[in-house]
Amino acid sequence: MNTQTTPSPQFYLTAPAVCPYLPGEMERKVFTHLVGPRAAEMNDLLTQGGFRRSQNIAYRPACEACRACVSVRILAGEFEPTRSMKRVISANRDLIATVQPAQPSTEQFALFRRYLDDRHQHGGMSDMSALDYAIMVEDTHVNTRLIEYRIREPGSGLSKQPQGELIAVALTDMMSDGLSMVYSFFNPKYEKRSLGTFMILDHINRARSLGLPHVYLGYWVKGSPKMDYKTRYQPQEQLMARGWERSLPPATDSDD
């Protein structure tokens, strides 16, 4: 009789480091490796428990004196876009989105570098090379896809290969209960298109069409203005001490 059991994941704690979101705060993370035949199952369970994936690592904040990071997921089936979101959808009706395997390309990396150089010159990813980008995309043991967004060219609908300028990319995990947006980037030249917003709206529609209830957005950081956009997508749930709870919607924009 085989009495061997599947090993449980081992969790580790990082050393304190400067928080990238809140001045004067220090952060720590608890993490584990997502490898082996149960990686996809573990990714589902850990994401539902407030973890995020980066390559083959699942992590979540474990700060000693701060609880500002809150996991957020959109309830896709109940979501209704605001008027400003509908304008974003209309402004991007000329885009065509294609789902690709998690395989990097030179075209993607050129767009990725342009995005970093414009938006995150001093961030932790600012010096990433083509090899680093390839590892970010390929180093996954779960069901991961790349969604490419291109400006549709005349006649491109007749081609088996996607045509048109690549202007946005989303790295997305396909989970049992939803889509998890791991990382997304876009051409900053098209600022008026609000491509970050559009990709989230597209993921909500994709989750709904697949019959999946959630779109996971990662962490909303209370007190960090650059994270406030995540609360605009309602209804949503936030992971609190007692589990996932519906959040109160923020004050709407004047044009909503």
Side-chain angles (χ1 to χ4, degrees):
M1 181 175 64
N2 184 3
T3 60
Q4 184 177 2
T5 60
T6 302
S8 299
Q10 300 296 309
F11 291 89
Y12 308 91
L13 189 64
T14 65
V18 176
C19 176
Y21 299 108
L22 300 177
E25 296 288 347
M26 301 294 288
E27 69 167 3
R28 300 189 77 176
K29 295 185 179 77
V30 60
F31 69 95
T32 189
H33 295 277
L34 289 171
V35 295
R38 296 182 61 227
E41 176 188 352
M42 288 303 303
N43 187 50
D44 280 15
L45 292 173
L46 291 173
T47 301
Q48 293 159 9
F51 281 72
R52 289 288 283 169
R53 184 183 72 82
S54 176
Q55 299 173 36
N56 65 359
I57 296 291
Y59 68 91
R60 67 171 297 172
C63 306
E64 296 177 359
C66 180
R67 297 293 182 270
C69 293
V70 178
S71 292
V72 171
R73 66 186 186 189
I74 304 166
L75 299 176
E78 301 178 47
F79 175 81
E80 292 292 339
T82 64
R83 282 186 291 176
S84 64
M85 291 175 184
K86 289 178 180 178
R87 289 195 290 270
V88 171
I89 294 172
S90 179
N92 290 284
R93 290 200 183 278
D94 61 337
L95 296 189
I96 181 169
T98 57
V99 180
Q100 308 282 357
Q103 298 174 355
S105 70
T106 54
E107 187 181 24
Q108 293 166 12
F109 178 67
L111 179 63
F112 177 68
R113 279 296 346 157
R114 183 167 186 174
Y115 174 77
L116 291 182
D117 292 343
D118 185 86
R119 298 296 183 96
H120 301 284
Q121 294 181 5
H122 305 292
M125 303 172 72
S126 61
D127 59 350
M128 286 182 64
S129 65
L131 177 60
D132 295 327
Y133 175 75
I135 291 172
M136 182 179 81
V137 172
E138 293 180 324
D139 195 1
T140 174
H141 292 254
V142 305
N143 188 11
T144 303
R145 295 290 183 268
L146 284 166
I147 304 178
E148 294 185 341
Y149 299 85
R150 296 175 181 272
I151 299 177
R152 187 191 303 270
E153 289 185 347
S156 63
L158 302 176
S159 173
K160 294 182 180 180
Q161 296 297 325
Q163 304 292 317
E165 180 186 357
L166 179 68
I167 66 170
V169 176
L171 182 65
T172 303
D173 286 347
M174 320 295 285
M175 297 170 45
S176 62
D177 72 327
L179 305 179
S180 178
M181 299 186 70
V182 177
Y183 195 79
S184 60
F185 53 94
F186 53 85
N187 190 333
K189 180 179 76 172
Y190 296 102
E191 182 177 2
K192 291 183 178 180
R193 285 181 176 267
S194 299
L195 290 167
T197 296
F198 178 74
M199 283 189 281
I200 294 175
L201 296 173
D202 181 63
H203 277 68
I204 294 171
N205 287 334
R206 288 176 183 276
R208 183 180 294 171
S209 67
L210 293 169
L212 300 174
H214 305 124
V215 173
Y216 288 85
L217 291 185
Y219 301 115
W220 166 61
V221 184
K222 186 176 182 179
S224 175
K226 64 183 179 180
M227 288 293 184
D228 284 345
Y229 74 92
K230 295 186 178 183
T231 63
R232 296 180 59 225
Y233 302 90
Q234 298 288 334
Q236 67 175 231
E237 293 178 328
Q238 298 179 353
L239 186 57
M240 312 305 288
R242 294 178 295 181
W244 289 99
E245 300 179 1
R246 279 187 179 243
S247 66
L248 295 175
T252 58
D253 298 333
S254 59
D255 64 342
D256 286 346

